[in-house]
Amino acid sequence: MEVELITIGDEIITGHTVDGNAAYMASQLVDSGFIVRYQTSVGDNSEDIEEAFRQALKRVEIVITTGGLGPTDDDITKRSIVKVFKRNLIFHEDILEDIRARYAKRGIEMPAINQNQALLPQGATFFPNKNGSAVGICIAEQGRIFISLPGVPFEMQQILGDHVIPYLLGLGARQAVRASKVRTTGIVESRIAEMIIPDLKLEPGVRLAYLPGYRGVDLRVIASGETQEEADEKARTLVRYLEEKIGRYVYGYDNDTLESVVGQLLRDNDRTLSVAESCTGGLLGATITSVAGSSAYFRGGVVSYANTVKLQELGVPQDVIDKHGAVSEMCALAMAAGCRERFDTDYALAITGIAGPEGGTEDKPVGTVWLGLATARDTRGHLMKLGGMRDVIRERAVYGALEMLRREILDIR
Amino acid sequence: MEVELITIGDEIITGHTVDGNAAYMASQLVDSGFIVRYQTSVGDNSEDIEEAFRQALKRVEIVITTGGLGPTDDDITKRSIVKVFKRNLIFHEDILEDIRARYAKRGIEMPAINQNQALLPQGATFFPNKNGSAVGICIAEQGRIFISLPGVPFEMQQILGDHVIPYLLGLGARQAVRASKVRTTGIVESRIAEMIIPDLKLEPGVRLAYLPGYRGVDLRVIASGETQEEADEKARTLVRYLEEKIGRYVYGYDNDTLESVVGQLLRDNDRTLSVAESCTGGLLGATITSVAGSSAYFRGGVVSYANTVKLQELGVPQDVIDKHGAVSEMCALAMAAGCRERFDTDYALAITGIAGPEGGTEDKPVGTVWLGLATARDTRGHLMKLGGMRDVIRERAVYGALEMLRREILDIR
């Protein structure tokens, strides 16, 4: 079944919010076998919203909107639904009770304005919202399904996953589609292309896309077939081909992240990790601990932003800093070794570099980053010359460090 | 002048990439006085791309696309331009030379596939790309401006800012528009509405939107007028009204972030900061150091993920952990005090909490976070009861800690 996503809000059309909702919904729907044909964004303007609703109801079977269901004045989606579907708003006492209970739990009195949240178009059903006060609204009419979800991402995500997708899957026949992602890091897009294109034969119904990002290049495989088995097999065949050609750069698949893969490797091998960070200021630790359960292998670390901290907390010798500077292989090695000893871990990763925009020199331009890795066997350094802006350099340094550890654990040289 | 943004890519329409480009472009264009009417996304499919191009050229004066200009096979934007505008591709030696030089600088040989990048539609001009190999393409024809930019965000951003916007501003009369953002944290959207709506009078041509996010609620003011002075004055009037009503929650404006505002306060007062983090794992330090120049006030910190690290590195007494647990006011106070002493800073912030999804108890459910702030005068704790998923809880804890410090420095009680 074909879907149109409509995201609503001045904040989107004027660019003050990134439209992560459209991406999230599309990905969940595609993975469940639906086809997303259109994504449209409009501002908080009744006329444009109604027009977008009418347009979408003409061309697809399922329309899903987000935004404009909150308690405040700029939330006009409900009024537009009422106009397009020619229905009245009905008050639902049970919804209001839920909202009141939610506020009570947080120890806050419910602002009266939330009463608007308990109004639904006549004949609509609703999907409960675990994380907020705006419920999802569902109207089924003349072979069309129209669903409105709140715009707050984690509220939308919960309603979509817990209610909307199960509901839609129950409606009818699924398309046979398999979407897979092969995730690489440490290799540029054009080099991947050179390695895989010469022998590449794409079966009918199979598509391959390169998705370059700061952290690496993902390869997206989308395969369709008469049956799910056929689609799965086509996708598997292409994934195997990619592994053959560029396997050493492949750290994971689909929703794997490098931090989750490295975490699993540490856990499987019963190893522990600590970190010493300079230019990344804690981003490596934050990335590692974004994985739930990371306390099983991650002990902690030192953010040695000032040089005095490198000396006092990590035992970097003063003359390493004097002779080689804080951004040097010697300093990265001393940071890693000092951290490993101090935190008594199997591995310690260190990052020291120049994230910019200031601080670069002829010898060490902005983007110069030294990584250090201390193990039971030895301590090694690795130089990265990174492009991009401050945040990009920091993210790439973090991914470089995690990849260095992945290769160490898997003994990839 | 009215603009349509078209973002191209299977990765967008299937939701595997969040379309940050559309938001970024819209925001830059709106701030420069352009009106973004439509945002459309299509997949890597010539037919859909050409249709979207033709549609857009009918309804607006300026069309800007991103994506589909890279070196690899899935990049079919250029072929679609050639078809829609009925032009040939012409080889540009100067573009290829630039690309070759870029690779040489990074010490990598240029993959031959990059030669595609030097082909431009006949009669098109180009905007150089400082950060990558795909240049921006510009075609002006019959009162329409058609611009294609690469999809890699920091490449697109540089070309847009350095070339596209100056070029478009040179073309004709600007609209008189002023967009401002008032940024708040520590207060929910519906409470803000209750505080500002009763006395609110919006002048004609002025719009106000609530933009709730994990870190706080932004209030977006968009004012238009006959002249720039008129638009500016209308926006200023509303901003002043908002400050009057909810000023204590306002930490900044427009592109201010809480981390940049707190950084500036530390710098202005010649104060230093260190951090001790448990459940955030380094995210507070990473957020603070995302601000260029933060080394002027940020010394560093300890990520005390394991309890042993809290004892050894921060001097938290064993019996605090035994009696109160690691997630407690006493532990947060000890972490902050220990950190301040160890790093010899004016302020130290500490975070300890349960980010979930595991680890919650009846007494201390997931989302329980204790903040600690040590100053020359005293050490204080603050309890947050946070909702949302792991990443949301961590981000909110970081913002809560920074806001605690902002209020301390500004003496807001």
Side-chain angles (χ1 to χ4, degrees):
Chain A
M1 285 188 291
E2 298 193 336
V3 181
E4 175 156 352
L5 303 174
I6 301 176
T7 48
I8 299 166
D10 279 352
E11 68 277 21
I12 294 168
I13 200 80
T14 59
H16 296 103
T17 295
V18 174
D19 191 6
N21 282 352
Y24 184 87
M25 292 191 293
S27 117
Q28 297 294 309
L29 289 161
V30 167
D31 286 351
S32 299
F34 297 92
I35 295 170
V36 178
R37 283 292 301 277
Y38 306 93
Q39 289 178 16
T40 306
S41 301
V42 287
D44 285 320
N45 172 315
S46 311
E47 218 172 286
D48 291 357
I49 295 174
E50 288 162 32
E51 178 54 29
F53 286 2
R54 291 199 179 93
Q55 190 68 258
L57 287 163
K58 270 184 221 156
R59 58 190 182 190
V60 293
E61 297 160 271
I62 301 168
V63 179
I64 307 179
T65 80
T66 61
L69 291 181
T72 56
D73 216 8
D74 59 329
D75 294 310
I76 53 180
T77 301
K78 228 181 265 178
R79 274 179 276 150
S80 302
I81 297 175
V82 164
K83 274 214 185 154
V84 170
F85 287 93
K86 301 193 176 60
R87 302 189 181 198
N88 296 317
L89 288 173
I90 307 287
F91 180 75
H92 288 243
E93 181 62 36
D94 48 341
I95 295 178
L96 191 65
E97 270 318 303
D98 261 15
I99 300 172
R100 204 174 275 131
R102 179 186 323 283
Y103 272 90
K105 208 172 139 194
R106 290 180 60 187
I108 308 175
E109 197 193 330
M110 184 188 82
I113 200 171
N114 282 289
Q115 300 202 347
N116 296 342
Q117 307 277 65
L119 295 169
L120 291 194
Q122 194 160 27
T125 53
F126 71 91
F127 300 121
N129 179 347
K130 256 194 215 162
N131 299 313
S133 52
V135 299
I137 298 171
C138 178
I139 297 175
E141 190 177 273
Q142 301 177 348
R144 294 289 189 264
I145 308 291
F146 182 93
I147 293 170
S148 269
L149 302 178
V152 180
F154 70 92
E155 300 182 15
M156 176 279 288
Q157 292 169 13
Q158 178 259 323
I159 303 176
L160 185 77
D162 289 358
H163 303 289
V164 175
I165 287 179
Y167 168 77
L168 294 176
L169 286 176
L171 288 177
R174 289 178 55 180
Q175 312 278 338
V177 174
R178 174 61 57 197
S180 303
K181 195 155 55 175
V182 175
R183 314 201 71 172
T184 74
T185 192
I187 180 170
V188 297
E189 178 187 0
S190 54
R191 183 69 68 197
I192 293 178
E194 287 206 329
M195 292 171 75
I196 65 178
I197 285 176
D199 301 324
L200 182 65
K201 284 182 208 75
L202 287 181
E203 290 179 81
V206 179
R207 286 160 89 174
L208 176 66
Y210 301 77
L211 317 179
Y214 300 148
R215 297 177 154 198
V217 179
D218 293 336
L219 295 166
R220 187 81 213 165
V221 172
I222 299 179
S224 58
E226 295 290 306
T227 63
Q228 190 60 54
E229 290 66 34
E230 189 194 329
D232 289 356
E233 182 49 37
K234 282 182 183 175
R236 240 189 330 260
T237 303
L238 179 51
V239 168
R240 265 193 235 108
Y241 172 82
L242 295 173
E243 286 165 345
E244 213 176 276
K245 294 292 178 184
I246 54 165
R248 55 186 275 113
Y249 302 101
V250 174
Y251 66 81
Y253 304 88
D254 301 323
N255 294 321
D256 286 345
T257 57
L258 187 52
E259 52 270 30
S260 66
V261 167
V262 167
Q264 196 56 51
L265 286 172
L266 289 167
R267 193 191 283 269
D268 291 348
N269 290 283
D270 201 18
R271 293 283 187 270
T272 55
L273 173 65
S274 58
V275 299
E277 304 185 58
S278 186
C279 64
T280 47
L283 191 62
L284 176 56
T287 304
I288 292 164
T289 59
S290 70
V291 179
S294 46
S295 58
Y297 47 84
F298 183 64
R299 288 276 174 274
V302 169
V303 177
S304 56
Y305 214 59
N307 281 344
T308 51
V309 179
K310 294 184 184 76
L311 308 179
Q312 283 163 28
E313 301 295 319
L314 293 167
V316 175
Q318 176 74 53
D319 74 281
V320 163
I321 307 238
D322 293 344
K323 271 193 211 149
H324 305 278
V327 178
S328 64
E329 179 165 26
M330 290 303 286
C331 186
L333 296 177
M335 286 169 67
C339 184
R340 182 171 180 274
E341 203 188 311
R342 183 121 201 178
F343 285 81
D344 190 22
T345 52
D346 297 303
Y347 299 108
L349 281 169
I351 302 179
T352 179
I354 302 159
E358 307 298 322
T361 63
E362 182 101 358
D363 269 12
K364 296 175 183 174
V366 168
T368 303
V369 174
W370 274 101
L371 307 177
L373 170 60
T375 73
R377 205 170 45 192
D378 62 5
T379 301
R380 266 164 304 129
H382 177 70
L383 175 63
M384 302 185 84
K385 295 178 185 178
L386 301 171
M389 288 174 292
R390 182 176 179 85
D391 281 355
V392 174
I393 289 170
R394 284 162 34 112
E395 277 208 37
R396 289 180 162 174
V398 164
Y399 251 48
L402 289 172
E403 176 66 3
M404 194 177 176
L405 178 55
R406 187 182 76 91
R407 291 175 175 233
E408 167 68 26
I409 299 175
L410 293 176
D411 204 23
I412 302 172
R413 300 289 151 179
Chain B
M1 284 187 291
E2 297 195 337
V3 181
E4 177 157 350
L5 303 175
I6 302 175
T7 49
I8 299 165
D10 278 352
E11 70 274 22
I12 293 168
I13 201 81
T14 60
H16 294 103
T17 295
V18 174
D19 191 8
N21 282 352
Y24 183 89
M25 291 192 294
S27 121
Q28 297 294 311
L29 289 162
V30 167
D31 286 351
S32 301
F34 297 94
I35 295 170
V36 178
R37 282 293 300 277
Y38 307 93
Q39 289 178 16
T40 307
S41 300
V42 287
D44 284 319
N45 171 315
S46 310
E47 219 172 284
D48 292 357
I49 295 174
E50 288 162 31
E51 180 53 28
F53 286 2
R54 289 200 181 92
Q55 191 67 258
L57 287 164
K58 270 184 221 156
R59 57 191 184 189
V60 293
E61 297 160 270
I62 301 169
V63 179
I64 307 180
T65 79
T66 61
L69 292 181
T72 56
D73 216 7
D74 61 331
D75 294 309
I76 54 181
T77 301
K78 228 182 262 178
R79 274 179 277 148
S80 303
I81 297 175
V82 164
K83 272 213 186 153
V84 169
F85 287 94
K86 302 193 176 60
R87 302 187 181 198
N88 297 318
L89 287 174
I90 307 289
F91 180 75
H92 289 242
E93 180 62 36
D94 48 341
I95 296 178
L96 191 65
E97 270 317 304
D98 260 15
I99 301 173
R100 204 174 275 132
R102 180 186 323 284
Y103 272 90
K105 207 172 143 194
R106 289 180 61 187
I108 309 175
E109 198 193 329
M110 183 187 82
I113 200 171
N114 281 290
Q115 298 201 347
N116 297 342
Q117 306 278 62
L119 295 170
L120 291 194
Q122 194 160 27
T125 53
F126 70 92
F127 300 121
N129 179 347
K130 255 195 216 165
N131 300 312
S133 52
V135 299
I137 298 173
C138 178
I139 297 175
E141 189 177 273
Q142 300 177 349
R144 294 289 188 261
I145 308 292
F146 182 93
I147 294 170
S148 268
L149 302 178
V152 179
F154 69 91
E155 300 182 15
M156 176 279 287
Q157 291 170 13
Q158 178 259 320
I159 303 176
L160 186 77
D162 289 357
H163 301 290
V164 175
I165 288 180
Y167 168 78
L168 293 176
L169 286 175
L171 288 177
R174 292 178 54 181
Q175 312 279 338
V177 173
R178 173 61 57 199
S180 304
K181 195 154 54 176
V182 176
R183 316 201 71 172
T184 73
T185 193
I187 179 170
V188 297
E189 177 187 1
S190 54
R191 185 69 68 198
I192 293 178
E194 288 205 329
M195 292 172 74
I196 66 178
I197 284 176
D199 301 324
L200 182 64
K201 285 180 208 78
L202 286 182
E203 292 179 78
V206 179
R207 288 160 86 174
L208 175 65
Y210 302 76
L211 318 180
Y214 300 147
R215 297 178 153 197
V217 180
D218 293 336
L219 296 165
R220 187 81 210 164
V221 172
I222 298 179
S224 57
E226 296 290 305
T227 62
Q228 191 60 54
E229 289 67 35
E230 190 194 330
D232 290 355
E233 183 50 36
K234 282 183 182 175
R236 242 191 325 264
T237 303
L238 179 51
V239 168
R240 263 191 237 111
Y241 173 81
L242 296 172
E243 285 166 346
E244 215 176 89
K245 293 293 176 183
I246 53 164
R248 55 186 275 114
Y249 302 101
V250 174
Y251 66 80
Y253 304 88
D254 301 323
N255 294 321
D256 286 345
T257 57
L258 188 50
E259 54 270 31
S260 67
V261 167
V262 167
Q264 195 57 51
L265 286 171
L266 288 167
R267 192 192 282 270
D268 291 347
N269 290 283
D270 201 17
R271 293 284 186 271
T272 56
L273 174 65
S274 59
V275 299
E277 304 185 59
S278 186
C279 64
T280 46
L283 191 61
L284 176 56
T287 304
I288 292 165
T289 58
S290 70
V291 179
S294 45
S295 58
Y297 46 85
F298 183 65
R299 288 277 174 275
V302 169
V303 178
S304 57
Y305 214 58
N307 281 345
T308 51
V309 179
K310 293 184 184 76
L311 308 179
Q312 283 164 29
E313 302 295 320
L314 293 167
V316 175
Q318 176 73 53
D319 75 282
V320 162
I321 307 241
D322 293 345
K323 272 192 208 151
H324 305 279
V327 178
S328 64
E329 178 165 25
M330 290 303 286
C331 186
L333 297 178
M335 284 169 68
C339 184
R340 180 170 181 275
E341 202 188 313
R342 184 122 200 177
F343 285 82
D344 190 23
T345 51
D346 298 302
Y347 299 107
L349 282 169
I351 302 178
T352 179
I354 301 159
E358 306 298 323
T361 64
E362 182 99 359
D363 269 13
K364 296 175 184 174
V366 167
T368 303
V369 174
W370 274 102
L371 307 177
L373 170 60
T375 72
R377 205 169 44 189
D378 62 6
T379 301
R380 264 163 306 130
H382 177 70
L383 174 64
M384 301 184 86
K385 296 178 185 178
L386 300 171
M389 289 174 292
R390 183 175 178 84
D391 281 355
V392 174
I393 289 170
R394 286 163 32 111
E395 277 209 37
R396 287 179 163 176
V398 164
Y399 250 48
L402 290 172
E403 176 66 3
M404 194 176 176
L405 179 55
R406 187 183 76 90
R407 289 172 177 236
E408 167 68 26
I409 300 176
L410 292 176
D411 204 22
I412 301 172
R413 299 290 150 177

